[in-house]
Amino acid sequence: AVYLMESGGASVPAGGSLRLSCAVSGSGYIRNKYCLAWFRQAPGKERDMVAVIAVKDASAIYADSVKGRFTISLDNPKNTLYLQMSSVKPEDTARYTCAADSCPGGVGSWYVGEGARFLFGYWGQGTQVTVPS
């Protein structure tokens, strides 16, 4: 099994910055064979991919809505995933959840779109980010 625990959610003013963390653990977590991701879900909306990173080579892909503002990164010795959020907007308000699964093909366009959430089998509980308008 793989276990994921997010932290760092908060209320942050528009234009501000925030860093989310996700601790990854479990005997099933084989670093170089896994991709890790951040998803978000706003009330009444679907769970959308924010960013995905391949642990093997740190290659990443982002949703268009966060490109240039958010950065996904890893601290492998600490088994921790991060999401650095900058220039946040009210539309970034959502529950942010990290996810993990094997990714033999690495990071690619198949992680963009509504089907991305079906490519991950391990999920955390999420952490709330609120950007007041």
Side-chain angles (χ1 to χ4, degrees):
V2 178
Y3 304 96
L4 304 155
M5 177 71 75
E6 303 92 341
S7 61
S11 179
V12 56
S17 299
L18 190 67
R19 189 178 78 163
L20 305 182
S21 300
C22 173
V24 186
S25 62
S27 60
Y29 179 51
I30 304 172
R31 277 185 197 167
N32 287 344
K33 294 187 177 181
Y34 264 61
C35 284
L36 303 175
W38 287 100
F39 284 77
R40 67 185 182 185
Q41 187 170 20
K45 295 190 176 181
E46 297 290 337
R47 179 178 282 178
D48 292 330
M49 184 277 288
V50 175
V52 182
I53 188 167
V55 179
K56 180 179 181 180
D57 59 11
S59 57
I61 193 166
Y62 295 87
D64 286 345
S65 58
V66 306
K67 278 181 185 176
R69 299 189 300 122
F70 292 8
T71 302
I72 190 171
S73 64
L74 287 165
D75 184 332
N76 280 325
K78 294 183 178 180
N79 280 344
T80 301
L81 175 72
Y82 299 103
L83 183 70
Q84 179 66 48
M85 305 168 65
S86 302
S87 303
V88 297
K89 305 174 182 179
E91 52 262 44
D92 294 323
T93 294
R95 188 163 188 83
Y96 285 71
T97 305
C98 58
D101 216 317
S102 61
C103 56
V107 170
S109 58
W110 49 90
Y111 284 117
V112 178
E114 294 182 358
R117 62 186 185 271
F118 300 111
L119 298 176
F120 292 89
Y122 299 102
W123 296 85
Q125 294 298 308
T127 187
Q128 180 68 34
V129 173
T130 301
V131 185
S133 56

